[in-house]
Amino acid sequence: MPYEWSATTDPRGTVRRLRLWPHRSLPRRGFAAFILATFTLITIPLYPLLGTIVLWGLLPFLLMAVAGVWWGLERSYRDARLNEDLTIDAEQIRLTRTDPRGATQEWECQSYWATATMHEKGGPVPHYVTLSGKGREVEIGAFLSEDERKALYGELSDALRQAAQP
């Protein structure tokens, strides 16, 4: 799953940390192989046209197609730099979201008042998970798959319940 829990113990109690990131199904090495395979396959129709003027008419369009695939995949990698970090201890909860450009958004609340909610319908995605407290409601893990959000909700509810207990 594209998230992981970790826990540390300090004098105030257990501190749980959750790190979430978008799933990457194509590693960088696979990216290079895919672009090479795309280029190779897209040039196959050009072989019979070698030595003709038609080759020069089609070549720019085929190269633009390969460049478009490269740009789209590169944009996907840039967008995947998004991550969310949640820290839960006995006193406070803090959620920090870092977007692909490096800007951060933060939310914090006392552990006792924080609640996790799953909106099965009505959110931007099915089974939308939010944290609420201190008069605000913030999303968490919207980029996860539906099954991952369901699992996250259960684990998050348990962690919040444990943090709120004295």
Side-chain angles (χ1 to χ4, degrees):
M1 289 213 187
Y3 66 87
E4 67 181 355
W5 286 94
S6 61
T8 57
T9 305
D10 64 11
R12 295 179 295 160
T14 302
V15 177
R16 290 176 187 79
R17 287 190 172 78
L18 171 65
R19 184 173 170 270
L20 300 105
W21 62 90
H23 181 67
R24 296 289 340 140
S25 60
L26 182 65
R28 278 288 184 181
R29 207 152 88 166
F31 170 81
F34 181 76
I35 293 296
L36 180 63
T38 301
F39 176 76
T40 303
L41 291 174
I42 214 163
T43 59
I44 290 174
L46 295 180
Y47 296 144
L49 302 174
L50 287 175
T52 67
I53 194 79
V54 177
L55 171 75
W56 298 107
L58 291 177
L59 189 61
F61 295 103
L62 297 177
L63 292 177
M64 283 193 308
V66 172
V69 169
W70 178 86
W71 180 83
L73 289 173
E74 194 61 41
R75 171 75 189 265
S76 173
Y77 278 105
R78 253 191 335 267
D79 290 347
R81 288 187 293 209
L82 167 76
N83 67 33
E84 295 177 350
D85 293 305
L86 178 69
T87 305
I88 303 173
D89 63 30
E91 295 174 13
Q92 188 167 318
I93 295 174
R94 175 184 215 107
L95 176 64
T96 305
R97 178 187 169 113
T98 307
D99 73 13
R101 295 182 180 181
T104 60
Q105 297 172 316
E106 294 185 359
W107 171 82
E108 58 184 39
C109 176
Q110 290 179 345
S111 296
Y112 184 79
W113 300 107
T115 58
T117 308
M118 181 185 299
H119 307 275
E120 292 184 21
K121 294 181 178 149
V125 291
H127 296 90
Y128 187 62
V129 179
T130 60
L131 291 171
S132 57
K134 203 174 181 181
R136 265 180 77 194
E137 187 170 34
V138 294
E139 70 180 2
I140 184 166
F143 47 80
L144 299 175
S145 72
E146 187 173 341
D147 292 333
E148 291 166 342
R149 284 190 303 275
K150 288 177 185 178
L152 174 66
Y153 172 71
E155 295 172 15
L156 191 55
S157 296
D158 291 343
L160 292 174
R161 194 172 19 263
Q162 291 172 0
Q165 293 176 351

